[in-house]
Amino acid sequence: MSKSKFIRIRDKLFISLTPIVIALVSVSMLIPKNKIGVEEGIDNCKMMLDIWGVMLGFVITALSILLTIHENRYVKMLIDTKHYSTVLFSYAFCCTYLFIAVIVSIILIYGKIWNNCIYILFKILIVTTITSLGIALFFMFKIIFKGNN
């Protein structure tokens, strides 16, 4: 296996697993353990559904732009350096995590389902989506700063 292929596989594993690992560690050790009632939990779901829906729309738009515009010097640089698939993968995984969060929120809201286990899952979804979005933003800023050199 060539070194560049190994690096791409390593990057994809990092992109896909890091948000989950960070979420599990932070929810189990760092985030305070508290309980909230059903009404407050459903209200939180509604609020996060709005946020996740907007973020999902923006990330899908960014992914669509990356897939359709090849004349841009930033995209050409990504293709030349073989980072294009890694960046697309990071955005696609971010979309996947956000989509899962949206679906879970919709189910919780309309089913009026809330308990302590669901609250822990909800906190894990929040940290996972934030971490995944952070990774996607990291790649975007890396593209911008590398392209300006």
Side-chain angles (χ1 to χ4, degrees):
M1 180 183 328
S2 69
K3 186 175 180 179
S4 65
K5 187 171 182 171
F6 173 75
I7 290 172
R8 285 193 304 265
I9 291 171
R10 181 197 65 196
D11 288 348
K12 288 179 180 179
L13 284 172
F14 175 80
I15 290 165
S16 59
L17 298 177
T18 300
I20 296 170
V21 171
I22 289 174
L24 292 173
V25 169
S26 64
V27 168
S28 65
M29 295 181 185
L30 303 175
I31 296 177
K33 293 166 181 43
N34 55 352
K35 295 181 182 183
I36 61 174
V38 175
E39 290 302 317
E40 188 179 357
I42 297 300
D43 287 343
N44 286 345
C45 275
K46 290 176 183 176
M47 178 190 62
M48 289 307 297
L49 179 60
D50 290 341
I51 294 169
W52 283 328
V54 170
M55 288 191 328
L56 180 60
F58 280 120
V59 175
I60 288 173
T61 302
L63 188 58
S64 299
I65 290 169
L66 278 174
L67 286 170
T68 57
I69 299 177
H70 291 285
E71 298 86 34
N72 188 324
R73 70 181 174 126
Y74 294 112
V75 176
K76 284 182 181 177
M77 178 197 60
L78 282 175
I79 293 170
D80 292 343
T81 60
K82 298 189 179 11
H83 285 74
Y84 186 68
S85 65
T86 304
V87 170
L88 291 179
F89 187 81
S90 74
Y91 278 82
F93 244 89
C94 186
C95 285
T96 303
Y97 287 133
L98 287 168
F99 183 72
I100 290 168
V102 165
I103 296 300
V104 168
S105 292
I106 290 171
I107 292 169
L108 294 176
I109 290 168
Y110 286 105
K112 293 192 190 300
I113 304 167
W114 195 263
N115 58 36
N116 195 39
C117 185
I118 298 291
Y119 186 44
I120 292 169
L121 172 68
F122 195 69
K123 290 193 268 189
I124 289 171
L125 279 173
I126 291 171
V127 175
T128 301
T129 55
I130 290 171
T131 307
S132 179
L133 193 62
I135 290 171
L137 287 173
F138 168 77
F139 279 114
M140 183 177 68
F141 285 125
K142 191 173 179 181
I143 295 166
I144 291 168
F145 292 133
K146 200 171 202 177
N148 287 330
N149 290 335

